[in-house]
Amino acid sequence: MSERPRRDTHRPTIRSRSPFALRPALLLARRLAFARTGRAVLVASLIGLPIAGLAAGSVLIASTTQSTEDELTVELGRSAALLESNGPDLVGMRQDPVDRYAAVTRPGTRLQRWQDDPTSTDADTPAPPTADLLTSVPDGAASIPVREGSAVVAGPEVPVTVTAVEGETWAGALHGHWDRIDGAVPRAAGQVLVTPATLDRLHVAVGETLELEDPVQRQVTIVGTLRDLGRPSSTLAVFGPWGSLGLGDDDATQVFLPDHSVTWPEVQRYNDHGIVVESRAVVLDPPFASRSSGGYDPIVSYGYVGLAGAFALFEVGLLAAAAFLVSSRADTRSHAVLASVGGDRRFLFSVVSSSGLVLGAVGAVCGTVLGIGGGVAAFHLLDSGDRARYPGVHLPWLVLLAVVALGVLAGWAASLVAARSASRVDVDSALRGATRPAPASRRRWASVAGPVLAGVGVLMTMACGVGVLMLNDRPVQDDHLALVVGVGVAVGPCLAQLGIVLAARRLLAGVARIGERLGLPARIAVRDAVRNPVRTVPVLASVMSVVFVSTVVLTFAAAGQAQTDAQYEFSTAEGVGTASITGDGIDAALRDRALRVVRQVLPEADIRLLGAGVETGSDDAPVTLPVDVHQRDCADSSTGACSDWLSAPDASSPHVLTGDVDDLAELLGHRPSRVARAALERGDAVSMRPEYVRDGVVRLDTRPLSQFTAYGEQPTSRATNSTTLPAVVEHTDQPLHLGLFLTPQGAQRHGLETERSFLVGSFPGGITDEQTDTLAVTWQTAAGADADLWYPWFSVENGPEDPFRPIAVVVTLLAGIVTLGATTVAIGLARADGRRDDEVLDAVGASPGVRRLVSTWQAALLTLVGSLVGVALGTLPLRALTLRFTPTPDGVVHMPFAPDPVSLAVLGLGLPVLVTAGVWAVAGRRRRVAVRRTA
């Protein structure tokens, strides 16, 4: 008969099915999490740093996004409404209730007929007038008119142009738009306020006098300081009473209504007279949804920050998971003790995963607090004083709470693998102190799912990128469907990375075949990497994620720079400066005097005075321009062959220039071709734009200036005169704002009227501020009373700005620092987990140098594979968004696929070299005594 089992031999079991078991699990998790302070700080920091970045970005976005109240305060101050003229006094204009500048013209109205043909009025009928704002104020309503223009004041060395504002900008009703800082209020026409930046620039103080030189000449007294909160604090401005600064009716005028609220029917009546209204009551309670698309949508910026944060959390989640794994294996004995006293697998899983919640919460809270401080500091560093762009510090609490929740979730997710491993602890072996290596998973689903998931991610990225391009090609964009589809462009690479992680062991096994031929340390390193994926795959994944994010940033920055370069229009060759000596009262004697002064101040610039066609004057003044005989369909863009300059007058870049061969060489930056030189000798024209030449002939049309449109469209009216002349094409590296070039004799022979008014000089290094000041002072002295007729100002062609290189340097440095730090941490965790391997090497007599080379080779293998994969995946989003199967129409510039090979080579090959050198430098060199353990 079998014995009845004794009651004291039954092992009690701690089960976690009841919710009451969560409390002891959390208590144990907290104790285990903070049992080793250094380890807890490491994991919390890994989670907290990206959370800090997310929080800082959220605070910065919220602080640089205007709310409706912020916008109304900057626009109206404390007033109820403002009136502003927006066109002739004709019925037909209707504004948007929220954005007053988003106005449409109703079809069939008088305004529509006038816009279709502004010259349709009879000769005896004057042009439609503009409504008088001052007489449009409602009866009995208080009003504050404000007029803004520009003025010239005497500076310490040369005259300085400042913004001039007339009106009671210091009134309490306008506080919030203008802010009086200190001093008194102007009581007479001879008293003004200025901005603090003006005091610094002019070296004056409150109480001193200021010399106005234009548009009036008088001395005024500075009685205080005032700032325009809608402009940067560096703005130079002077504020005076109405009519005190000499501004005219052509200057921008606004009339503020401090306490008269304007309703929507009243706004419509104002619109019928060409007046737009900003009404506080209408903006806060619009009669219908705004149709304006000019507003800034912070959701897009939050999306970008969230995307960057997701990538960062993905990377640190991998590192935190590795840290949890190493920590969990270090706590194997504690887990075995819990299991021996009755803790089941579910309870052990709860304990370890709860430690992820605890450390995730600590990291998330600390990271959010740190991010808020960083966001506020970044706002104050960027704040220019313009409350339209930097309205003030705002904390988006809902977003910040979501960021904290995301950090807690990331910490918990990072601990799941360790929790699963801890729940399967071998109690007997752990209590004996055995340290067998973690068995590799033998399931084949990961090796199959990895390549499949990577392929799905790549296909999703490409398909969604093509979908975004197709949606953006629609003529009407009334939805955010392209943005929704664009999420797939971001999700696809993440899936591909996850697939690479799942297939990493097989990928490393393939690379290991090469590494085994590189010596004993390399053979040990690659075999260890393949046989212990639990602690080596996180290293590869972290490097891959950092390089991926860096590659995405650099490829899009390079594409944006390439797009900017493609859209940029060169006026002349780089390093060439031009200036037009035109204006009322300017004659040949003054131009010769200007040439002498400029040559005196800038002797190295090789200044030349060329002839130029006159392209300014009254509406009836005749203007002769070459005709674009090709007339491409340029859609809604204007670059390259679709440049507005081709068919529109431009006083700063005349279309017809005259001079000799050396003059043309200075404009082009190189000696003209033999064909061009021969054409000039014959008296023919040389065209720098092939759009003007057909069959060796160029046609020039003469028509009144008023017949040219503002957007460069071909005039439809008949020319008053047309002429043709032989011409050849001089090809240049990029399109220039240079049309026809002839000798003076050739222009005279073909009846082209020009005047010597175009200064050209060579400025390879640009013009310094000292040269500009010296030129202005010399001209003031030499010209005397005629100095006001022209100002010596040169426009130097420096080409498009190139912000890509600084971005590339910063991103590469950050990627190097993050990769080096992450890899050092990960390699350190891996080597700590592989201590038994080092002890075996010690036992068989391996030197410390061998152990260091093993770590170095392992770092080289993992970082090289991770960097190359990260670069390959990082180019996917841009490739997807630039994969077009149809020809691009003329004038339409899409973002090109133009990755920078140097930066990608640095990321793919330079970072592994840097990380390998860093790991070799910090790897341990001391010999440890072999520790004998029993299995």
Side-chain angles (χ1 to χ4, degrees), residues 549-801:
V549 174
S550 303
T551 303
V552 170
V553 173
L554 289 180
T555 52
F556 274 91
Q561 183 62 42
Q563 187 177 31
T564 300
D565 295 343
Q567 292 177 318
Y568 186 83
E569 296 185 15
F570 285 82
S571 57
T572 60
E574 287 194 58
V576 176
T578 58
S580 294
I581 311 176
T582 57
D584 296 335
I586 297 179
D587 54 13
L590 188 139
R591 294 189 180 98
D592 291 336
R593 189 186 314 170
L595 179 61
R596 290 195 300 270
V597 169
V598 175
R599 283 178 172 174
Q600 174 187 347
V601 178
L602 306 170
E604 304 296 331
D606 191 18
I607 303 297
R608 299 168 179 269
L609 184 61
L610 278 61
V614 179
E615 300 182 12
T616 58
S618 63
D619 290 343
D620 297 330
V623 174
T624 300
L625 293 184
V627 178
D628 181 1
V629 294
H630 296 278
Q631 298 184 5
R632 293 172 174 81
D633 181 12
C634 293
D636 57 354
S637 182
S638 57
T639 58
C642 293
S643 172
D644 290 343
W645 177 85
L646 287 172
S647 55
D650 188 345
S652 62
S653 297
H655 293 70
V656 179
L657 296 173
T658 60
D660 56 24
V661 174
D662 293 335
D663 296 334
L664 179 58
E666 182 132 341
L667 287 170
L668 299 177
H670 60 81
R671 184 167 178 78
S673 64
R674 181 178 55 82
V675 175
R677 297 197 302 269
L680 292 178
E681 291 177 0
R682 294 193 304 267
D684 296 342
V686 176
S687 174
M688 273 60 70
R689 302 298 295 257
E691 295 85 356
Y692 292 144
V693 180
R694 175 175 289 173
D695 299 330
V697 173
V698 61
R699 192 183 95 205
L700 295 98
D701 286 352
T702 302
R703 49 174 48 89
L705 184 62
S706 60
Q707 294 186 7
F708 293 96
T709 63
Y711 301 101
E713 298 176 0
Q714 293 286 345
T716 56
S717 57
R718 190 164 186 174
T720 58
N721 184 37
S722 292
T723 183
T724 60
L725 64 152
V728 298
V729 177
E730 175 73 0
H731 295 283
T732 56
D733 294 336
Q734 59 272 326
L736 305 177
H737 280 185
L738 297 175
L740 302 183
F741 192 90
L742 303 91
T743 60
Q745 297 79 10
Q748 184 177 5
R749 189 181 73 184
H750 293 290
L752 297 179
E753 296 184 3
T754 60
E755 60 182 20
R756 296 176 68 246
S757 61
F758 198 66
L759 287 175
V760 178
S762 177
F763 302 91
I767 301 180
T768 64
D769 294 337
E770 292 77 8
Q771 290 176 321
T772 301
D773 293 342
T774 303
L775 184 60
V777 172
T778 306
W779 174 249
Q780 291 283 337
T781 304
D786 295 333
D788 295 335
L789 298 177
W790 178 71
Y791 189 79
W793 181 80
F794 277 86
S795 175
V796 181
E797 178 58 69
N798 295 316
E801 295 183 358

Side-chain angles (χ1 to χ4, degrees), residues 478-518:
D478 291 334
D479 52 38
H480 294 285
L481 189 57
L483 184 61
V484 174
V485 177
V487 173
V489 180
V491 174
C494 293
L495 293 179
Q497 289 185 81
L498 185 57
I500 295 296
V501 172
L502 293 177
R505 187 167 182 266
R506 178 165 294 184
L507 178 63
L508 290 175
V511 178
R513 297 176 182 176
I514 302 175
E516 289 182 349
R517 306 175 184 176
L518 301 178

Side-chain angles (χ1 to χ4, degrees), residues 242-619:
W242 182 262
S244 63
L245 302 179
L247 301 182
D249 295 336
D250 294 336
D251 293 303
T253 303
Q254 294 177 333
V255 175
F256 292 85
L257 306 179
D259 49 17
H260 181 82
S261 181
V262 180
T263 62
W264 179 242
E266 292 176 318
V267 171
Q268 293 177 312
R269 287 194 290 272
Y270 276 116
N271 290 167
D272 290 337
H273 294 281
I275 299 174
V276 293
V277 183
E278 179 91 358
S279 172
R280 188 183 298 272
V282 173
V283 172
L284 294 177
D285 186 18
F288 53 86
S290 174
R291 300 188 182 95
S292 173
S293 59
Y296 173 71
D297 190 1
I299 296 179
V300 178
S301 295
Y302 281 125
Y304 284 130
V305 172
L307 183 61
F311 287 136
L313 284 174
F314 175 73
E315 178 219 346
V316 300
L318 293 170
L319 288 178
F324 273 118
L325 277 172
V326 174
S327 301
S328 176
R329 295 174 69 175
D331 293 334
T332 300
R333 188 177 180 83
S334 300
H335 300 155
V337 171
L338 281 177
S340 66
V341 297
D344 64 354
R345 291 178 57 183
R346 188 183 296 272
F347 183 75
L348 289 175
F349 185 92
S350 299
V351 170
V352 179
S353 61
S354 296
S355 66
L357 284 176
V358 173
L359 293 178
V362 173
V365 172
C366 295
T368 302
V369 173
L370 181 64
I372 291 175
V376 173
F379 171 81
H380 288 297
L381 288 175
L382 296 174
D383 186 11
S384 64
D386 183 359
R387 292 294 167 258
R389 296 187 59 187
Y390 303 96
V393 175
H394 299 298
L395 300 182
W397 292 111
L398 291 178
V399 178
L400 293 176
L401 288 176
V403 168
V404 172
L406 185 62
V408 175
L409 181 63
W412 174 74
S415 65
L416 293 181
V417 177
R420 182 174 177 273
S421 176
S423 66
R424 300 183 175 187
V425 62
D426 187 344
V427 178
D428 295 334
S429 298
L431 292 178
R432 288 200 312 268
T435 57
R436 293 189 179 95
S441 175
R442 298 184 180 277
R443 290 180 294 182
R444 299 182 179 276
W445 67 268
S447 59
V448 176
V452 173
L453 196 59
V456 170
V458 172
L459 291 178
M460 175 187 290
T461 305
M462 292 298 180
C464 292
V466 173
V468 169
L469 290 175
M470 295 175 62
L471 292 172
N472 285 337
D473 285 343
R474 295 177 299 170
V476 179
Q477 306 285 333
D478 291 334
D479 52 38
H480 294 285
L481 189 57
L483 184 61
V484 174
V485 177
V487 173
V489 180
V491 174
C494 293
L495 293 179
Q497 289 185 81
L498 185 57
I500 295 296
V501 172
L502 293 177
R505 187 167 182 266
R506 178 165 294 184
L507 178 63
L508 290 175
V511 178
R513 297 176 182 176
I514 302 175
E516 289 182 349
R517 306 175 184 176
L518 301 178
L520 178 62
R523 187 180 305 118
I524 295 175
V526 296
R527 288 183 178 180
D528 179 74
V530 175
R531 296 181 62 183
N532 294 276
V534 172
R535 49 184 166 88
T536 56
V537 170
V539 182
L540 184 148
S542 64
V543 175
M544 175 182 65
S545 181
V546 172
V547 174
F548 169 79
V549 174
S550 303
T551 303
V552 170
V553 173
L554 289 180
T555 52
F556 274 91
Q561 183 62 42
Q563 187 177 31
T564 300
D565 295 343
Q567 292 177 318
Y568 186 83
E569 296 185 15
F570 285 82
S571 57
T572 60
E574 287 194 58
V576 176
T578 58
S580 294
I581 311 176
T582 57
D584 296 335
I586 297 179
D587 54 13
L590 188 139
R591 294 189 180 98
D592 291 336
R593 189 186 314 170
L595 179 61
R596 290 195 300 270
V597 169
V598 175
R599 283 178 172 174
Q600 174 187 347
V601 178
L602 306 170
E604 304 296 331
D606 191 18
I607 303 297
R608 299 168 179 269
L609 184 61
L610 278 61
V614 179
E615 300 182 12
T616 58
S618 63
D619 290 343

